Structure formats: C-alpha cells, structure tokens
Amino acid sequence: MSKTLFDKVWDTHVVRKIEGGPDVLFIDRHLIHEVTSPVAFLGLKNRGIKVLFPERTFATADHNTPTINQHLPVADPLSANQLKALESNSNEYGISHWGLGHQKNGIVHVVGPEYGITQPGATIVCGDSHTSTHGAFGAIAFGIGTSEVEMVLSTQCIMQPKPKKMRINVNGKLGLGVTPKDVALFIISQLSTSGATGYFVEYAGDVFENMTMEGRMTVCNLSIEMGARGGMIAPDETTIEYVKGREFSPKGESWDRALAYYRTLKTDPDAVFDKELTFDGSSIEPMITYGTNPGMGMGISKEIPDAEHAEGGATTYAKSLGYMGFSEGDSMIGKKVDFVFVGSCTNGRIEDFRAFTALVKGKHKADDVTVWLVPGSHIVESQIKEEGLLDILNDAGFVLRQPGCSACLAMNDDKIPAGKYAVSTSNRNFEGRQGPGSRTMLASPLVAAAAAITGVVTDPRTMMQDLETANA
Amino acid sequence: MAYDKFDILTSTAVPLPIENVDTDQLIPARFLKATERVGFGDNLFRDWRYNGDDTPKPEFVLNNPVYSGKILVGGKNFGSGSSREHAAWAVYDYGFRCVVSSFFADIFRNNCLNIGVLPVQVSPEFAEKIFEAIFADPNTELEVNLADQTITLLATREKEIFEISPYKKHNMLNGFDDIDYLQSIKPEIEEFAAQLPL
C-alpha cells in the first residue's frame, strides 16, 4: 500500500497498537530543558524507576538562561533552582547535560540539529511545542507535556493516536525580501491558528526543495502555530549534506545503513492525504502580524482586515486589536516600534543574522529603538564573530547578546515593557508573551532589520532596492 | 502520577466565551519556574485575572463571585500554543475537573487527559446553548457522564454525546495512567529498540 513520508516514519516506530486506543510509539531522540522536565524526574523518583535509555536523551538549559554575563551566578533564585535541578537530574540518571556555560549550550532546537542529534526518519520529542523544528530533516518531531516526558524517560515510548495527514504545496519563485519566515507566516494566515489541528503536515513543492536546511527549520518550527502537531519535509541531498559528519550522526557502516534508510523517506506518488493545499509562492510578500495570534498576519503592504473578513468571532477580534492598540483598516507601515528582537528557535541561526546584517550594513540603529540580538547557540555566536558580522553590527550601533530563548517567552530578564511594541523574529504574538502587557509583531529578520534602522514598521524591500542600486 | 477517578461530574460552570485562549493566558511563562507541581492554580489566567499590582480585575469571570464550579466552558480552539503541561495543572489546581469547548488544541487536550482533567468537545451549537444558559442563570448545572459519554444541561435535559477513545475512557474511569501501561510492556519495548534502523 502506498505510504506518505509520515506513514513510513510513524509505522517504523510503532511498538504495538492498542485496540480502541493510541499507538505505542518508540522515540529515538528525546530532548529536555529545565522548565518542563523537573516534575517528570520527580515522577520517576516517586515511582522508584530509572531512565531506560539515558543515551537517547539530551539536556540543555535555554528557557530561563540570562543572555548577558553568563559567567556570573544566575541572579533569579527560581531560575537558578530550575537550572540546578536539570543538572542534578541529568547527572543522577546519566544524561548528557549541556548547561549554562557549556560550549554546546544553546536553544534546544538549534543545538539538536547542529550536533547531529536530529536525524532523518527519526522520532524526536521534547517538552516544547516548537520541537516541530526537527521535521525539517524528515523526522517526526513534536512537542509533548511533562507526563509524556516522564513516559519517554522511563520507557522511551509515548502513546499517541496517529494524526491525520495534510500536504501543503508551495511552488514558484519567491520575491525580493521574502524569507522562509514569510512563507510560514503566509501559510498560517491562510489556515488560521487552528486550521491544521489534528493533522501532521508535509511541506512539498519547489519552494521548500530550494530552501536551505535552516530555512526548512524555520518553516517546520512554525507548524504548531496553525495547530499542527508537526510538519516535515522529505530528506534530499541538502539534508544529507547537512547531517553528514556531525558529532552524533551515524559514522562508518552505521552511516551507510542510515543513508539507505534516509533514501526511502519520501511520499509514494499515489499516496493519499486527508487534506491537500497548494499556494503560489510568487504571491507571498514579506509578512507581519497585527494581532495576538500567529494566524493574524498579512503582507506588510496590506491593511488590517475588517472583523467580517477575519477568522474568529467579532468579540475576540476586537479584544485582540484593542490589546495591540490597532484598528481595522490601519496600514502597518509607519507604526512605531520600541523594541526589536532577533533570535529564538524560529530565527536564531546564522542565516538569520546574515540577513539582518546585510540590511543594516553601513546604516545606523534608530536611537529610540532597543535591539536584542540573541544567537541560538554558541556555534551561531562564533559564526557571527568569525564571519565578520559582529564588526558590521557594532559599527551600525548594535550589540550581540549570549545564547538562549530570551525575549521569545521572556522567562529571563529580557522582557518587553507593558504597552511597548516589538518587532520580533520569534514565533508567538500572544498577549503578554514577551512580558506582561507587551505588544508583539512577528516578522522575518529582514523586517526586523528595517524596523531597527528606521524605528517604525518598514517594508524591507524599499531598503533592499536601494542596496541593489548601490551595488549595481 | 495516578489521578482521581472520573465518573459523573455534576456542577455549575464558569463561562469564558473567548476564542483561541492560548497557554500563555492560562499560565504566563514567568510562572513556570517551579520544580514541583504546586501552586499553579493561583496563577491561572494571571494577567486576565490581576492587574500589574496584583489587585484583581473585577470584570474577569474568575473574579466574579456569581460564577463558580468545577467545569470551565471556553471558546473555540481552547489551549492553543505551548506544550506546557503547567496550563493543565493550573486548570486542575484551581479546581476544575472538566473543560468544555467546541474545539481544543491537540497538546492541551492530551495534557488534560494525562492528568485527569476531562476535555469535552461539543458542537458549536451546543456550546452556544451552554453559554446562553449560564449567562441567563449562573446556577445552571451541567452533568458530565464519562461512562455514557454525555454532557447534559440539567435544567432542560438537553444533552450531547462527546468523543473519547475507549482506552483513555477506561483509564479515566479507573484513575490509571499511561506510565503504568508502558512499564508493563518494557521487555517488548527493549526488544523493539534492538531492531530499529537508527
């Protein structure tokens, strides 16, 4: 019988099927961080059970960590306590721990791929909804709750009903200034924040085939923002080239066996999806959100839709725009920006910083904008320095912070103050997400760069055309 | 952690007819710093419930003494966003045992089932009826019967059947959890692991 990519990976990992219930799914790689794991370890202790396969779990601290002065003790006692718990639990159960200060420390969904923990055709889970990132490699990767973290620690399995399958095709040439983030925000704006709930998505079409691994990670990362548990892209030569030789990638004969498996990972031509959607990539503009969920996004040159054209009830829509201080029919161009955040598991990789730097090169940061540039890992941080980006950024009035989740969810001190507006390359614009009362506009690193220079929401294409003319 | 058995729950309900209630509203990230599962109910809907100076916002439904009960009735797409089980813990710790909505986000629904909070998905029409009944009379009682898979507006006896997998239903009726099950098949899991391609 014909199978989709998702079917192939899922079926390979089903230990047993329960009559009238979920499948018992084996998990190849388990990532943990300090926020969603402590209660799971407490559960193990209470039951008096061990971690079944400690070599399949990897721990990194990221949600709570400060992004300046990481060499100093963590000032917030609650954060410090969680970081300590991750370390002591990892040590007690024999799990690799990349804590604050460790060379491999960084955002869990950035370091996983960097070190080859993420592999095509693997099942990967983490107590974090943006685990969908790893689907970029053709893995089944999704976020789980703490009870499930305990299940994976104790038995390397979780119990999941098999989701429905959706394929999203995007073909065509992307326009100037249109990045993978814009493609993802566009799709979410078309489906709404719940349009893919109950589905696992496969992204297909030449737009994704032509994307780098980092671009694919950005797209898959945002799958959860339309309600999908995860999204995946079939592995190809780009994927294999990325994975080969990384620290935890298979080596020697194991690599040959793995490669043979990777090559099987594509949807059969006549396989059937429960739902299939197709979009024209050339119609996508640089995107920006205007509301309080990631589905409330639009092309940056457009106007905020009327309630009658918006998904969701009129009351909810009005509450959302009221929170943002925007009105139906407003243009986003020219809106005041107080903060710019570049980073997170969505857009905290080297290509994101290259794009940001290319746009701000030779210009200067707007005086009344605070800009936080937060690399996703120490590798990204080193690349920024080694490639000479840091010098360009410093000359333009920017400083670089240290790796972590930072203002994406504002668990550390990187909080946007109440009422202030942030253009953010992260993944959620929920009320208070970036700090109590904060107002978030999600966008690409290019839109973030344009805002950082001008102090208002600006179409980056206007600045890129200048660049192209200057270079001609 | 095994949880209380769920059988029949008869209670008044708290109405929250807002769509896309996300996990950051259920429990903001800054309250996720505990290393034990205690005290999350105090911070349920923290920023909708309290001002910056910790004084209650009287207009929010949890601060309105007219509404109370063990059932929370939310708008469409309830629990979207983060995988934080803390959101479900906050709902449980506040005193809710059941959440009713016309549509749930996946991970939140799973998390609820794993800790013994019953997510009951009803049709948009029935959700509307429940909201209308509670707003007309806050003492309106709902009966949620897990064995029969029914939710009933007691005043009018209007009822609807809801879906739950037979496995999860059996677990909730008996207070069993998935870890007990998985522990019982550990040798099979170890054997399975040995033959995997990666």
Side-chain angles (χ1 to χ4, degrees), chain A residues 183-220:
Chain A
V183 174
L185 286 177
F186 170 79
I187 295 170
I188 301 163
S189 75
Q190 299 300 300
L191 272 85
S192 89
T193 189
S194 60
T197 302
Y199 292 90
F200 216 96
V201 173
E202 179 178 344
Y203 298 97
D206 55 25
V207 163
F208 305 112
E209 285 162 19
N210 294 330
M211 262 182 204
T212 63
M213 285 316 296
E214 295 197 3
R216 293 178 192 183
M217 284 188 244
T218 299
V219 170
C220 290

Side-chain angles (χ1 to χ4, degrees), chain B residues 17-87:
Chain B
I18 296 171
E19 297 190 15
N20 303 322
V21 170
D22 61 70
T23 47
D24 284 66
Q25 308 319 313
L26 283 159
I27 183 104
R30 63 187 188 280
F31 299 113
L32 305 182
K33 296 188 182 186
T35 51
E36 291 177 57
R37 200 187 129 179
V38 286
F40 289 103
D42 294 343
N43 296 315
L44 176 69
F45 290 117
R46 180 76 197 193
D47 293 336
W48 286 358
R49 218 167 126 194
Y50 297 102
N51 293 303
D53 61 2
D54 292 340
T55 54
K57 294 181 178 178
E59 70 279 13
F60 186 61
V61 69
L62 292 189
N63 295 324
N64 185 344
V66 165
Y67 301 105
S68 64
K70 292 185 172 182
I71 302 172
L72 176 64
V73 188
K76 186 187 153 204
N77 193 29
F78 194 88
S80 61
S82 158
S83 65
R84 60 187 71 160
E85 196 166 296
H86 312 63

